[in-house]
């Protein structure tokens, strides 16, 4: 939106000094939008945009953030839920891993008799000729069960939880988007073309 020296406003694809505007507080409760080059004030009579040298109510604007019409309340709720679930899964993943490993029988006091861990140790000992190899699966799991994941393992588990949460979020977003497309298919969306911007409160 540019303001010419002759007191006209136009829409232009060019970026120059006439496209620059400044904001000043209005005593009427709001702001003035003023051409930086020509000192004209953006004005609206409720139907169309104009410019004026005056500083009255007709030149006073109130700017309010408006959410894009393409984002529904259901989508906002879904995105918030996905974010919260991703964070929660990242935090919970290390503790879940520790719980699973402990449940398998890898405990701080050693491998529990009759547990899955005992069966794994027996199978590994038979496969290796009577011993459990250092750095093998059983040895690593028992180390975690006895002393925890450690800083690197904890960070890795949190990262894995975040990846799982984000992947689930992307899937939910794709499903939601497809559902929205099917719901809106065949319906005509309201158009605000040719509606005065200053009269946006009455847009559909």
């Amino acid at each position: 939106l540019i303001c010419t020296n002759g007191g006209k406003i136009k829409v232009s694809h060019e970026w120059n000094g006439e496209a620059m505007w400044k904001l000043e507080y209005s005593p009427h409760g709001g702001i003035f939008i003023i051409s930086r080059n020509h000192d004209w004030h953006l004005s609206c009579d409720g139907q169309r945009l104009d410019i004026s040298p005056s500083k009255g109510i007709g030149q006073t604007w109130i700017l309010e953030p408006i959410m894009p019409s393409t984002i529904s309340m259901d989508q906002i709720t879904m995105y918030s839920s996905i974010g919260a679930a991703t964070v929660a899964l990242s935090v919970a993943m290390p503790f879940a891993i520790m719980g699973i490993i402990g449940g398998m029988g890898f405990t701080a006091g050693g491998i529990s008799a009759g547990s899955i861990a005992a069966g794994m140790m027996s199978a590994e000992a038979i496969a290796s000729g009577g011993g459990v190899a250092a750095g093998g699966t059983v040895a690593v799991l028992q180390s975690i069960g006895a002393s925890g994941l450690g800083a690197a393992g904890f960070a890795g588990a949190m990262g894995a939880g975040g990846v799982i949460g984000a992947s689930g979020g992307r899937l939910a977003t794709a499903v939601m988007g497809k559902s929205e497309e099917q719901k809106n298919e065949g319906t005509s969306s309201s158009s605000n073309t040719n509606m005065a911007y200053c009269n946006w409160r009455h847009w559909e």
Side-chain angles (χ1 to χ4, degrees), residues 115-133 138:
S115 65
I116 295 174
M120 291 176 63
M121 183 178 67
S122 175
E124 187 172 322
I126 294 171
S128 61
V132 176
V138 172

Side-chain angles (χ1 to χ4, degrees), residues 94-125 132-133 135-149:
F95 302 100
I97 291 174
M98 288 296 301
I100 292 171
I101 292 174
M104 292 172 66
F106 297 99
T107 67
I111 293 177
S112 300
S115 65
I116 295 174
M120 291 176 63
M121 183 178 67
S122 175
E124 187 172 322
V132 176
T137 303
V138 172
V140 171
L141 291 175
Q142 178 53 37
S143 175
I144 294 172
S147 57
L149 290 169

Side-chain angles (χ1 to χ4, degrees), residues 114-200:
S115 65
I116 295 174
M120 291 176 63
M121 183 178 67
S122 175
E124 187 172 322
I126 294 171
S128 61
V132 176
T137 303
V138 172
V140 171
L141 291 175
Q142 178 53 37
S143 175
I144 294 172
S147 57
L149 290 169
F154 198 90
M158 289 188 69
V163 170
I164 294 171
S167 299
R170 290 186 65 181
L171 178 61
T173 302
V175 172
M176 180 77 172
K178 196 69 176 177
S179 175
E180 289 289 331
E181 287 180 8
Q182 292 174 351
K183 185 171 64 177
N184 296 329
E185 187 175 353
T187 62
S188 59
S189 58
S190 61
S191 174
N192 295 317
T193 307
N194 300 324
M195 294 287 288
Y197 179 74
C198 56
N199 205 27
W200 62 265

Side-chain angles (χ1 to χ4, degrees), residues 24-33 41-42 53-62:
E24 290 184 2
Y25 285 107
S26 167
H28 305 287
I31 60 170
F32 295 126
I33 304 176
H41 295 67
L42 193 64
S54 304
K55 291 186 176 182
I57 295 179
Q59 292 75 45
T60 299
W61 297 79
I62 297 176

Side-chain angles (χ1 to χ4, degrees), residues 1-2 9-14:
L1 187 67
I2 65 173
I9 54 173
K10 299 179 180 179
V11 176
S12 173
H13 295 291
E14 298 181 3

